[in-house]
Amino acid sequence: MNDDDQAQNDADARQPAAEEQPGGTPVLGDVLLAIEELWPQSLSEPWDAVGPVVGRTAAEVKRVLFAVDPTAEVIDEALAWQADLLVTHHPLLLKPVNSVAASHFKGEAVHRLIEGGCALVTVHTNGDSAVGGVSDVLADAMGLQGVKPLVPAEKGLPEEGIGRVGELSEATTLGDFAAVVFGMLPAVAGGVKVAGDRNGVVRTVAVCGGAGDSLFDAVRAAQADVYVTADLRHHPASEAREGAVEGRPYLIDVSHFGSEWLWLTPAAEALDNVLRDQGYDVEVNVSGINTDPWDFILTPG
């Protein structure tokens, strides 16, 4: 045997056998590893409940559906599509429970998923904090530049954390910027609420997908002209306006569902890319159901 043959044999020996190469249909355990790579559980908040909820790690996963909420209608959609895995942003079981009896709607959800052979995984605050997470997607949709976290993650990269702050390429008015925000979000009954001078100039934008009224100190520290988030309660919003400097930060209150809905498509694409890079063949889709809880709103005029 010459030196070239020996070198080739050595190289072949270092390559895994064909049957050891990943490929074909993954099992839930494989998909969970990909989810952990994209949205590490270490980035979740201490109070949160993320990760697998139901499902066997050895079960094959051919179809994955992404949604914001694990509502009954979304589960109907997942089962009708014959999904093997439902990935939702919001947890089904955020608070501890003593029973998953089907007499309660959450227990019914657990039973239907198990009986339908569909696993459930939650990607919540780890999906908020990670690179490419909920607030990153919002910042990208707004065209923000020089984006950084509002509150950096304790156990993550410098670019990971809750919320984002960045600069618009050109200053604009609060009214025009609010119109851009309204136009990029799905239509919901509550629309978009704005606090501040419609003609006020904005350039620095802070954003937090989901409920973000606990981040006002960080928003003020970032000297944001406007803060875009959801679920702004009366007292925090009122106090923010009372304590504003020259009217800033202005406030834009959007739908909780809407602010997180934008993340679904990039998240589905990211998981699909990771699995395909590993040689797996999986169909990944995004729910078409609007799970905003409100149906209509009455306004003056």
Side-chain angles (χ1 to χ4, degrees):
M1 179 182 296
N2 60 37
D3 291 342
D4 290 341
D5 291 338
Q6 182 62 50
Q8 182 61 52
N9 286 342
D10 291 343
D12 291 343
R14 289 192 295 269
Q15 294 296 322
E19 61 270 21
E20 296 174 351
Q21 295 282 355
T25 302
V27 296
L28 178 59
D30 299 318
V31 181
L32 291 176
L33 289 175
I35 288 173
E36 177 66 16
E37 178 180 333
L38 291 166
W39 309 291
Q41 290 198 29
S42 60
L43 292 177
S44 63
E45 296 297 300
W47 50 264
D48 204 5
V50 303
V53 181
V54 301
R56 295 187 184 276
T57 56
E60 287 191 343
V61 175
K62 298 179 180 179
R63 289 184 168 186
V64 181
L65 183 68
F66 274 75
V68 174
D69 299 287
T71 62
E73 191 176 5
V74 168
I75 293 173
D76 286 342
E77 180 186 27
L79 297 181
W81 187 55
Q82 296 183 321
D84 305 296
L85 171 61
L86 174 62
V87 178
T88 63
H89 185 56
H90 289 147
L92 176 66
L93 304 174
L94 180 59
K95 297 180 180 179
V97 297
N98 296 318
S99 169
V100 288
S103 55
H104 188 268
F105 73 91
K106 291 196 174 186
E108 174 68 13
V110 169
H111 280 262
R112 293 190 61 221
L113 287 165
I114 293 174
E115 291 164 359
C118 183
L120 173 63
V121 173
T122 300
V123 178
H124 193 206
T125 52
N126 49 331
D128 291 325
S129 186
V131 173
V134 171
S135 293
D136 264 339
V137 171
L138 285 172
D140 287 345
M142 295 172 189
L144 301 187
Q145 302 173 350
V147 175
K148 59 183 180 181
L150 264 178
V151 180
E154 293 183 7
K155 301 176 182 178
L157 302 171
E159 57 268 35
E160 293 175 326
I162 298 298
R164 296 293 186 267
V165 60
E167 304 285 324
L168 294 170
S169 59
E170 295 183 2
T172 187
T173 65
L174 176 62
D176 286 346
F177 178 69
V180 169
V181 172
F182 176 82
M184 73 187 198
L185 295 174
V188 295
V192 170
K193 295 180 288 185
V194 185
D197 178 4
R198 181 186 293 268
N199 297 313
V201 176
V202 298
R203 182 72 180 266
T204 303
V205 179
V207 60
C208 179
D213 62 15
S214 64
L215 302 182
F216 274 120
D217 287 344
V219 172
R220 285 186 283 266
Q223 297 183 316
D225 297 313
V226 60
Y227 181 35
V228 183
T229 191
D231 293 348
L232 284 177
R233 295 170 296 165
H234 175 86
H235 292 296
S238 178
E239 290 172 4
R241 297 199 66 179
E242 290 295 307
V245 177
E246 298 182 353
R248 293 173 176 81
Y250 302 134
L251 306 177
I252 298 181
D253 186 22
V254 301
S255 156
H256 191 126
F257 159 80
S259 70
E260 296 168 332
W261 174 83
L262 288 178
W263 170 76
L264 297 179
T265 296
E269 291 174 351
L271 181 62
D272 185 56
N273 288 337
V274 170
L275 292 173
R276 290 190 183 280
D277 285 346
Q278 295 174 355
Y280 293 124
D281 184 17
V282 178
E283 189 173 356
V284 185
N285 205 353
V286 171
S287 171
I289 295 174
N290 181 337
T291 54
D292 186 90
W294 304 106
D295 294 315
F296 63 91
I297 188 170
L298 304 179
T299 59

